[in-house]
mmCIF file of all heavy atoms in Angstrom:
data_model
loop_
_atom_site.group_PDB
_atom_site.id
_atom_site.type_symbol
_atom_site.label_atom_id
_atom_site.label_comp_id
_atom_site.label_asym_id
_atom_site.label_seq_id
_atom_site.Cartn_x
_atom_site.Cartn_y
_atom_site.Cartn_z
ATOM 1 N N ALA A 147 31.474 76.044 72.933
ATOM 2 C CA ALA A 147 30.869 76.256 74.259
ATOM 3 C C ALA A 147 30.774 77.742 74.571
ATOM 4 O O ALA A 147 29.801 78.189 75.187
ATOM 5 C CB ALA A 147 31.660 75.517 75.332
ATOM 6 N N ILE A 148 31.770 78.516 74.142
ATOM 7 C CA ILE A 148 31.727 79.970 74.353
ATOM 8 C C ILE A 148 30.574 80.577 73.562
ATOM 9 O O ILE A 148 29.794 81.380 74.094
ATOM 10 C CB ILE A 148 33.067 80.634 73.941
ATOM 11 C CG1 ILE A 148 34.180 80.234 74.911
ATOM 12 C CG2 ILE A 148 32.922 82.155 73.875
ATOM 13 C CD1 ILE A 148 35.571 80.614 74.433
ATOM 14 N N ILE A 149 30.465 80.212 72.310
ATOM 15 C CA ILE A 149 29.377 80.741 71.472
ATOM 16 C C ILE A 149 28.029 80.375 72.082
ATOM 17 O O ILE A 149 27.134 81.210 72.198
ATOM 18 C CB ILE A 149 29.504 80.207 70.024
ATOM 19 C CG1 ILE A 149 30.785 80.756 69.390
ATOM 20 C CG2 ILE A 149 28.270 80.562 69.198
ATOM 21 C CD1 ILE A 149 31.208 80.052 68.115
ATOM 22 N N GLU A 150 27.903 79.129 72.500
ATOM 23 C CA GLU A 150 26.649 78.646 73.072
ATOM 24 C C GLU A 150 26.306 79.378 74.365
ATOM 25 O O GLU A 150 25.161 79.773 74.578
ATOM 26 C CB GLU A 150 26.756 77.140 73.303
ATOM 27 C CG GLU A 150 25.434 76.450 73.484
ATOM 28 C CD GLU A 150 24.961 76.343 74.914
ATOM 29 O OE1 GLU A 150 25.529 76.969 75.834
ATOM 30 O OE2 GLU A 150 23.983 75.631 75.129
ATOM 31 N N ILE A 151 27.289 79.590 75.226
ATOM 32 C CA ILE A 151 27.002 80.245 76.511
ATOM 33 C C ILE A 151 26.668 81.724 76.312
ATOM 34 O O ILE A 151 25.898 82.297 77.090
ATOM 35 C CB ILE A 151 28.142 80.036 77.537
ATOM 36 C CG1 ILE A 151 27.601 80.196 78.962
ATOM 37 C CG2 ILE A 151 29.308 80.966 77.278
ATOM 38 C CD1 ILE A 151 28.565 79.752 80.057
ATOM 39 N N LEU A 152 27.210 82.337 75.268
ATOM 40 C CA LEU A 152 26.842 83.723 74.978
ATOM 41 C C LEU A 152 25.382 83.822 74.527
ATOM 42 O O LEU A 152 24.666 84.750 74.921
ATOM 43 C CB LEU A 152 27.786 84.324 73.929
ATOM 44 C CG LEU A 152 29.219 84.564 74.415
ATOM 45 C CD1 LEU A 152 30.127 84.929 73.239
ATOM 46 C CD2 LEU A 152 29.267 85.638 75.500
ATOM 47 N N VAL A 153 24.943 82.862 73.735
ATOM 48 C CA VAL A 153 23.526 82.810 73.338
ATOM 49 C C VAL A 153 22.667 82.533 74.575
ATOM 50 O O VAL A 153 21.625 83.167 74.777
ATOM 51 C CB VAL A 153 23.288 81.757 72.238
ATOM 52 C CG1 VAL A 153 21.803 81.616 71.918
ATOM 53 C CG2 VAL A 153 24.078 82.113 70.970
ATOM 54 N N LEU A 154 23.102 81.598 75.403
ATOM 55 C CA LEU A 154 22.405 81.303 76.655
ATOM 56 C C LEU A 154 22.274 82.564 77.502
ATOM 57 O O LEU A 154 21.192 82.862 78.025
ATOM 58 C CB LEU A 154 23.159 80.219 77.439
ATOM 59 C CG LEU A 154 22.711 79.955 78.880
ATOM 60 C CD1 LEU A 154 21.261 79.496 78.930
ATOM 61 C CD2 LEU A 154 23.621 78.924 79.537
ATOM 62 N N TRP A 155 23.352 83.312 77.636
ATOM 63 C CA TRP A 155 23.350 84.540 78.424
ATOM 64 C C TRP A 155 22.277 85.499 77.910
ATOM 65 O O TRP A 155 21.508 86.065 78.683
ATOM 66 C CB TRP A 155 24.739 85.183 78.368
ATOM 67 C CG TRP A 155 24.956 86.290 79.341
ATOM 68 C CD1 TRP A 155 25.452 86.184 80.602
ATOM 69 C CD2 TRP A 155 24.674 87.680 79.129
ATOM 70 N NE1 TRP A 155 25.506 87.431 81.189
ATOM 71 C CE2 TRP A 155 25.030 88.371 80.301
ATOM 72 C CE3 TRP A 155 24.163 88.414 78.067
ATOM 73 C CZ2 TRP A 155 24.881 89.741 80.444
ATOM 74 C CZ3 TRP A 155 24.009 89.786 78.205
ATOM 75 C CH2 TRP A 155 24.373 90.434 79.391
ATOM 76 N N GLY A 156 22.216 85.667 76.599
ATOM 77 C CA GLY A 156 21.207 86.545 76.005
ATOM 78 C C GLY A 156 19.796 86.069 76.273
ATOM 79 O O GLY A 156 18.889 86.872 76.555
ATOM 80 N N LEU A 157 19.584 84.762 76.206
ATOM 81 C CA LEU A 157 18.252 84.209 76.486
ATOM 82 C C LEU A 157 17.865 84.393 77.949
ATOM 83 O O LEU A 157 16.701 84.654 78.256
ATOM 84 C CB LEU A 157 18.190 82.729 76.105
ATOM 85 C CG LEU A 157 18.031 82.443 74.620
ATOM 86 C CD1 LEU A 157 18.218 80.958 74.340
ATOM 87 C CD2 LEU A 157 16.679 82.914 74.111
ATOM 88 N N ILE A 158 18.821 84.273 78.842
ATOM 89 C CA ILE A 158 18.524 84.492 80.263
ATOM 90 C C ILE A 158 18.127 85.946 80.486
ATOM 91 O O ILE A 158 17.145 86.234 81.182
ATOM 92 C CB ILE A 158 19.713 84.104 81.168
ATOM 93 C CG1 ILE A 158 20.013 82.610 81.061
ATOM 94 C CG2 ILE A 158 19.420 84.477 82.625
ATOM 95 C CD1 ILE A 158 21.350 82.202 81.667
ATOM 96 N N ILE A 159 18.865 86.872 79.888
ATOM 97 C CA ILE A 159 18.512 88.293 80.004
ATOM 98 C C ILE A 159 17.104 88.523 79.455
ATOM 99 O O ILE A 159 16.278 89.204 80.093
ATOM 100 C CB ILE A 159 19.546 89.182 79.268
ATOM 101 C CG1 ILE A 159 20.898 89.143 79.962
ATOM 102 C CG2 ILE A 159 19.035 90.619 79.125
ATOM 103 C CD1 ILE A 159 20.926 89.760 81.355
ATOM 104 N N GLY A 160 16.820 87.953 78.295
ATOM 105 C CA GLY A 160 15.477 88.073 77.723
ATOM 106 C C GLY A 160 14.415 87.496 78.630
ATOM 107 O O GLY A 160 13.337 88.086 78.810
ATOM 108 N N THR A 161 14.699 86.351 79.226
ATOM 109 C CA THR A 161 13.757 85.717 80.153
ATOM 110 C C THR A 161 13.502 86.617 81.357
ATOM 111 O O THR A 161 12.358 86.793 81.779
ATOM 112 C CB THR A 161 14.293 84.344 80.608
ATOM 113 O OG1 THR A 161 14.514 83.520 79.457
ATOM 114 C CG2 THR A 161 13.318 83.655 81.550
ATOM 115 N N ILE A 162 14.551 87.198 81.894
ATOM 116 C CA ILE A 162 14.397 88.093 83.045
ATOM 117 C C ILE A 162 13.492 89.266 82.690
ATOM 118 O O ILE A 162 12.566 89.594 83.442
ATOM 119 C CB ILE A 162 15.781 88.574 83.552
ATOM 120 C CG1 ILE A 162 16.543 87.425 84.208
ATOM 121 C CG2 ILE A 162 15.622 89.742 84.530
ATOM 122 C CD1 ILE A 162 18.003 87.729 84.519
ATOM 123 N N PHE A 163 13.719 89.883 81.543
ATOM 124 C CA PHE A 163 12.911 91.042 81.157
ATOM 125 C C PHE A 163 11.449 90.663 80.917
ATOM 126 O O PHE A 163 10.539 91.386 81.344
ATOM 127 C CB PHE A 163 13.497 91.738 79.922
ATOM 128 C CG PHE A 163 14.612 92.663 80.253
ATOM 129 C CD1 PHE A 163 15.931 92.301 80.022
ATOM 130 C CD2 PHE A 163 14.373 93.908 80.829
ATOM 131 C CE1 PHE A 163 16.976 93.154 80.340
ATOM 132 C CE2 PHE A 163 15.408 94.771 81.155
ATOM 133 C CZ PHE A 163 16.717 94.384 80.909
ATOM 134 N N VAL A 164 11.217 89.523 80.277
ATOM 135 C CA VAL A 164 9.844 89.091 80.024
ATOM 136 C C VAL A 164 9.172 88.642 81.321
ATOM 137 O O VAL A 164 7.999 88.962 81.563
ATOM 138 C CB VAL A 164 9.809 87.984 78.945
ATOM 139 C CG1 VAL A 164 8.431 87.357 78.836
ATOM 140 C CG2 VAL A 164 10.234 88.563 77.594
ATOM 141 N N PHE A 165 9.894 87.924 82.175
ATOM 142 C CA PHE A 165 9.324 87.506 83.457
ATOM 143 C C PHE A 165 8.958 88.717 84.302
ATOM 144 O O PHE A 165 7.960 88.706 85.009
ATOM 145 C CB PHE A 165 10.312 86.615 84.223
ATOM 146 C CG PHE A 165 10.215 85.150 83.907
ATOM 147 C CD1 PHE A 165 9.772 84.698 82.672
ATOM 148 C CD2 PHE A 165 10.584 84.199 84.842
ATOM 149 C CE1 PHE A 165 9.687 83.337 82.383
ATOM 150 C CE2 PHE A 165 10.510 82.841 84.571
ATOM 151 C CZ PHE A 165 10.057 82.411 83.341
ATOM 152 N N ARG A 166 9.751 89.766 84.224
ATOM 153 C CA ARG A 166 9.507 90.967 85.041
ATOM 154 C C ARG A 166 8.153 91.594 84.729
ATOM 155 O O ARG A 166 7.523 92.193 85.602
ATOM 156 C CB ARG A 166 10.628 91.979 84.832
ATOM 157 C CG ARG A 166 10.583 93.117 85.839
ATOM 158 C CD ARG A 166 11.811 94.015 85.715
ATOM 159 N NE ARG A 166 11.887 94.970 86.796
ATOM 160 C CZ ARG A 166 11.147 96.079 86.876
ATOM 161 N NH1 ARG A 166 10.275 96.359 85.936
ATOM 162 N NH2 ARG A 166 11.277 96.900 87.906
ATOM 163 N N LYS A 167 7.686 91.449 83.507
ATOM 164 C CA LYS A 167 6.373 91.990 83.133
ATOM 165 C C LYS A 167 5.246 91.284 83.877
ATOM 166 O O LYS A 167 4.169 91.837 84.060
ATOM 167 C CB LYS A 167 6.144 91.842 81.626
ATOM 168 C CG LYS A 167 7.060 92.690 80.791
ATOM 169 C CD LYS A 167 6.833 92.423 79.314
ATOM 170 C CE LYS A 167 7.835 93.185 78.476
ATOM 171 N NZ LYS A 167 7.745 92.844 77.053
ATOM 172 N N HIS A 168 5.509 90.063 84.308
ATOM 173 C CA HIS A 168 4.479 89.258 84.972
ATOM 174 C C HIS A 168 4.699 89.134 86.473
ATOM 175 O O HIS A 168 3.736 89.023 87.230
ATOM 176 C CB HIS A 168 4.406 87.875 84.328
ATOM 177 C CG HIS A 168 4.166 87.930 82.856
ATOM 178 N ND1 HIS A 168 2.952 88.273 82.322
ATOM 179 C CD2 HIS A 168 5.000 87.749 81.811
ATOM 180 C CE1 HIS A 168 3.038 88.269 80.996
ATOM 181 N NE2 HIS A 168 4.267 87.963 80.667
ATOM 182 N N SER A 169 5.957 89.134 86.881
ATOM 183 C CA SER A 169 6.288 89.000 88.304
ATOM 184 C C SER A 169 7.701 89.520 88.542
ATOM 185 O O SER A 169 8.673 88.924 88.070
ATOM 186 C CB SER A 169 6.191 87.535 88.741
ATOM 187 O OG SER A 169 6.781 87.347 90.008
ATOM 188 N N LYS A 170 7.796 90.612 89.280
ATOM 189 C CA LYS A 170 9.120 91.147 89.599
ATOM 190 C C LYS A 170 9.924 90.139 90.410
ATOM 191 O O LYS A 170 11.127 89.977 90.211
ATOM 192 C CB LYS A 170 8.993 92.470 90.348
ATOM 193 C CG LYS A 170 8.538 93.604 89.471
ATOM 194 C CD LYS A 170 8.443 94.902 90.240
ATOM 195 C CE LYS A 170 7.921 95.997 89.315
ATOM 196 N NZ LYS A 170 7.715 97.256 90.005
ATOM 197 N N THR A 171 9.259 89.444 91.314
ATOM 198 C CA THR A 171 9.949 88.442 92.130
ATOM 199 C C THR A 171 10.538 87.348 91.244
ATOM 200 O O THR A 171 11.673 86.910 91.464
ATOM 201 C CB THR A 171 8.993 87.839 93.178
ATOM 202 O OG1 THR A 171 8.459 88.902 93.974
ATOM 203 C CG2 THR A 171 9.697 86.834 94.063
ATOM 204 N N ALA A 172 9.777 86.908 90.251
ATOM 205 C CA ALA A 172 10.269 85.871 89.331
ATOM 206 C C ALA A 172 11.534 86.351 88.621
ATOM 207 O O ALA A 172 12.494 85.591 88.463
ATOM 208 C CB ALA A 172 9.192 85.504 88.317
ATOM 209 N N ALA A 173 11.530 87.604 88.203
ATOM 210 C CA ALA A 173 12.708 88.169 87.532
ATOM 211 C C ALA A 173 13.886 88.250 88.496
ATOM 212 O O ALA A 173 15.013 87.874 88.150
ATOM 213 C CB ALA A 173 12.378 89.545 86.966
ATOM 214 N N TYR A 174 13.633 88.720 89.701
ATOM 215 C CA TYR A 174 14.715 88.861 90.695
ATOM 216 C C TYR A 174 15.326 87.517 91.070
ATOM 217 O O TYR A 174 16.523 87.430 91.346
ATOM 218 C CB TYR A 174 14.211 89.567 91.948
ATOM 219 C CG TYR A 174 13.757 90.994 91.718
ATOM 220 C CD1 TYR A 174 12.763 91.556 92.499
ATOM 221 C CD2 TYR A 174 14.310 91.782 90.706
ATOM 222 C CE1 TYR A 174 12.332 92.864 92.299
ATOM 223 C CE2 TYR A 174 13.883 93.081 90.494
ATOM 224 C CZ TYR A 174 12.899 93.616 91.286
ATOM 225 O OH TYR A 174 12.481 94.908 91.067
ATOM 226 N N LEU A 175 14.516 86.469 91.078
ATOM 227 C CA LEU A 175 15.028 85.135 91.408
ATOM 228 C C LEU A 175 16.015 84.617 90.360
ATOM 229 O O LEU A 175 16.791 83.693 90.635
ATOM 230 C CB LEU A 175 13.874 84.140 91.571
ATOM 231 C CG LEU A 175 13.055 84.292 92.845
ATOM 232 C CD1 LEU A 175 11.821 83.402 92.798
ATOM 233 C CD2 LEU A 175 13.894 83.981 94.076
ATOM 234 N N LEU A 176 15.982 85.197 89.162
ATOM 235 C CA LEU A 176 16.906 84.779 88.111
ATOM 236 C C LEU A 176 18.212 85.573 88.110
ATOM 237 O O LEU A 176 19.129 85.247 87.364
ATOM 238 C CB LEU A 176 16.217 84.886 86.744
ATOM 239 C CG LEU A 176 15.029 83.949 86.528
ATOM 240 C CD1 LEU A 176 14.421 84.180 85.146
ATOM 241 C CD2 LEU A 176 15.430 82.490 86.708
ATOM 242 N N ILE A 177 18.307 86.584 88.934
ATOM 243 C CA ILE A 177 19.536 87.398 88.971
ATOM 244 C C ILE A 177 20.756 86.575 89.416
ATOM 245 O O ILE A 177 21.815 86.662 88.776
ATOM 246 C CB ILE A 177 19.336 88.675 89.803
ATOM 247 C CG1 ILE A 177 18.385 89.614 89.036
ATOM 248 C CG2 ILE A 177 20.664 89.365 90.100
ATOM 249 C CD1 ILE A 177 17.953 90.843 89.780
ATOM 250 N N PRO A 178 20.665 85.743 90.458
ATOM 251 C CA PRO A 178 21.847 84.924 90.787
ATOM 252 C C PRO A 178 22.260 84.006 89.632
ATOM 253 O O PRO A 178 23.452 83.770 89.415
ATOM 254 C CB PRO A 178 21.390 84.104 92.001
ATOM 255 C CG PRO A 178 20.261 84.882 92.581
ATOM 256 C CD PRO A 178 19.582 85.569 91.432
ATOM 257 N N TYR A 179 21.280 83.538 88.882
ATOM 258 C CA TYR A 179 21.533 82.676 87.727
ATOM 259 C C TYR A 179 22.326 83.423 86.650
ATOM 260 O O TYR A 179 23.351 82.925 86.173
ATOM 261 C CB TYR A 179 20.190 82.175 87.201
ATOM 262 C CG TYR A 179 20.214 81.316 85.969
ATOM 263 C CD1 TYR A 179 21.206 80.371 85.739
ATOM 264 C CD2 TYR A 179 19.192 81.422 85.029
ATOM 265 C CE1 TYR A 179 21.183 79.572 84.608
ATOM 266 C CE2 TYR A 179 19.158 80.628 83.908
ATOM 267 C CZ TYR A 179 20.161 79.705 83.695
ATOM 268 O OH TYR A 179 20.130 78.905 82.572
ATOM 269 N N ILE A 180 21.901 84.623 86.288
ATOM 270 C CA ILE A 180 22.621 85.362 85.254
ATOM 271 C C ILE A 180 24.017 85.758 85.762
ATOM 272 O O ILE A 180 24.974 85.766 84.980
ATOM 273 C CB ILE A 180 21.825 86.590 84.736
ATOM 274 C CG1 ILE A 180 22.482 87.161 83.459
ATOM 275 C CG2 ILE A 180 21.705 87.691 85.772
ATOM 276 C CD1 ILE A 180 22.515 86.241 82.279
ATOM 277 N N LEU A 181 24.139 86.039 87.038
ATOM 278 C CA LEU A 181 25.466 86.350 87.587
ATOM 279 C C LEU A 181 26.395 85.141 87.500
ATOM 280 O O LEU A 181 27.563 85.268 87.116
ATOM 281 C CB LEU A 181 25.341 86.847 89.030
ATOM 282 C CG LEU A 181 24.653 88.197 89.214
ATOM 283 C CD1 LEU A 181 24.467 88.500 90.696
ATOM 284 C CD2 LEU A 181 25.432 89.306 88.519
ATOM 285 N N TRP A 182 25.881 83.967 87.838
ATOM 286 C CA TRP A 182 26.703 82.754 87.787
ATOM 287 C C TRP A 182 27.049 82.386 86.349
ATOM 288 O O TRP A 182 28.185 81.993 86.055
ATOM 289 C CB TRP A 182 25.994 81.599 88.493
ATOM 290 C CG TRP A 182 26.849 80.368 88.587
ATOM 291 C CD1 TRP A 182 26.724 79.232 87.856
ATOM 292 C CD2 TRP A 182 27.971 80.151 89.449
ATOM 293 N NE1 TRP A 182 27.688 78.320 88.207
ATOM 294 C CE2 TRP A 182 28.465 78.864 89.189
ATOM 295 C CE3 TRP A 182 28.597 80.927 90.419
ATOM 296 C CZ2 TRP A 182 29.559 78.319 89.860
ATOM 297 C CZ3 TRP A 182 29.689 80.390 91.085
ATOM 298 C CH2 TRP A 182 30.161 79.104 90.804
ATOM 299 N N VAL A 183 26.092 82.532 85.434
ATOM 300 C CA VAL A 183 26.380 82.240 84.024
ATOM 301 C C VAL A 183 27.375 83.266 83.473
ATOM 302 O O VAL A 183 28.217 82.929 82.645
ATOM 303 C CB VAL A 183 25.086 82.163 83.189
ATOM 304 C CG1 VAL A 183 25.372 82.107 81.691
ATOM 305 C CG2 VAL A 183 24.278 80.933 83.607
ATOM 306 N N SER A 184 27.312 84.498 83.942
ATOM 307 C CA SER A 184 28.308 85.493 83.546
ATOM 308 C C SER A 184 29.697 85.046 84.004
ATOM 309 O O SER A 184 30.680 85.117 83.238
ATOM 310 C CB SER A 184 27.981 86.861 84.152
ATOM 311 O OG SER A 184 26.748 87.342 83.670
ATOM 312 N N PHE A 185 29.785 84.577 85.230
ATOM 313 C CA PHE A 185 31.049 84.062 85.759
ATOM 314 C C PHE A 185 31.493 82.831 84.965
ATOM 315 O O PHE A 185 32.676 82.703 84.609
ATOM 316 C CB PHE A 185 30.888 83.731 87.248
ATOM 317 C CG PHE A 185 32.128 83.191 87.888
ATOM 318 C CD1 PHE A 185 33.283 83.952 87.971
ATOM 319 C CD2 PHE A 185 32.137 81.916 88.431
ATOM 320 C CE1 PHE A 185 34.435 83.455 88.564
ATOM 321 C CE2 PHE A 185 33.275 81.410 89.040
ATOM 322 C CZ PHE A 185 34.426 82.182 89.098
ATOM 323 N N ALA A 186 30.560 81.936 84.661
ATOM 324 C CA ALA A 186 30.885 80.738 83.877
ATOM 325 C C ALA A 186 31.370 81.116 82.478
ATOM 326 O O ALA A 186 32.247 80.456 81.915
ATOM 327 C CB ALA A 186 29.662 79.823 83.789
ATOM 328 N N THR A 187 30.818 82.189 81.931
ATOM 329 C CA THR A 187 31.259 82.670 80.619
ATOM 330 C C THR A 187 32.711 83.141 80.699
ATOM 331 O O THR A 187 33.538 82.799 79.838
ATOM 332 C CB THR A 187 30.344 83.815 80.134
ATOM 333 O OG1 THR A 187 28.996 83.341 80.078
ATOM 334 C CG2 THR A 187 30.765 84.314 78.761
ATOM 335 N N ILE A 188 33.017 83.881 81.730
ATOM 336 C CA ILE A 188 34.398 84.349 81.930
ATOM 337 C C ILE A 188 35.341 83.155 82.101
ATOM 338 O O ILE A 188 36.429 83.130 81.517
ATOM 339 C CB ILE A 188 34.479 85.302 83.139
ATOM 340 C CG1 ILE A 188 33.740 86.606 82.813
ATOM 341 C CG2 ILE A 188 35.926 85.579 83.536
ATOM 342 C CD1 ILE A 188 33.466 87.479 84.018
ATOM 343 N N LEU A 189 34.912 82.161 82.871
ATOM 344 C CA LEU A 189 35.742 80.964 83.058
ATOM 345 C C LEU A 189 35.972 80.244 81.733
ATOM 346 O O LEU A 189 37.096 79.831 81.429
ATOM 347 C CB LEU A 189 35.090 80.001 84.051
ATOM 348 C CG LEU A 189 35.083 80.397 85.512
ATOM 349 C CD1 LEU A 189 34.350 79.341 86.335
ATOM 350 C CD2 LEU A 189 36.498 80.597 86.037
ATOM 351 N N THR A 190 34.907 80.081 80.952
ATOM 352 C CA THR A 190 35.006 79.360 79.685
ATOM 353 C C THR A 190 35.939 80.089 78.721
ATOM 354 O O THR A 190 36.812 79.474 78.087
ATOM 355 C CB THR A 190 33.612 79.172 79.053
ATOM 356 O OG1 THR A 190 32.738 78.552 80.007
ATOM 357 C CG2 THR A 190 33.683 78.295 77.812
ATOM 358 N N ILE A 191 35.778 81.394 78.618
ATOM 359 C CA ILE A 191 36.651 82.180 77.745
ATOM 360 C C ILE A 191 38.097 82.109 78.248
ATOM 361 O O ILE A 191 39.031 81.939 77.445
ATOM 362 C CB ILE A 191 36.162 83.642 77.650
ATOM 363 C CG1 ILE A 191 34.833 83.700 76.896
ATOM 364 C CG2 ILE A 191 37.208 84.528 76.976
ATOM 365 C CD1 ILE A 191 34.118 85.037 76.970
#
């Protein structure tokens, strides 16, 4: 689960950067998500 969530974290970061090229708002809406997954990663570890 730790390995998987680390890959997930990287994909979310990638999604944010790619979404930002098309819509800054779309990218900003994913910031709470990456923050929560970061917290979930800390919890899992």
Side-chain angles (χ1 to χ4, degrees):
I148 291 169
I149 295 166
E150 198 269 11
I151 203 169
L152 291 170
V153 175
L154 170 61
W155 192 91
L157 282 170
I158 296 167
I159 292 294
T161 302
I162 290 170
F163 278 103
V164 170
F165 272 28
R166 191 173 189 283
K167 293 176 185 174
H168 304 287
S169 167
K170 288 181 182 176
T171 303
Y174 296 150
L175 287 171
L176 295 179
I177 290 173
Y179 177 38
I180 192 63
L181 293 174
W182 186 255
V183 170
S184 297
F185 180 63
T187 302
I188 292 166
L189 288 178
T190 306
I191 292 169

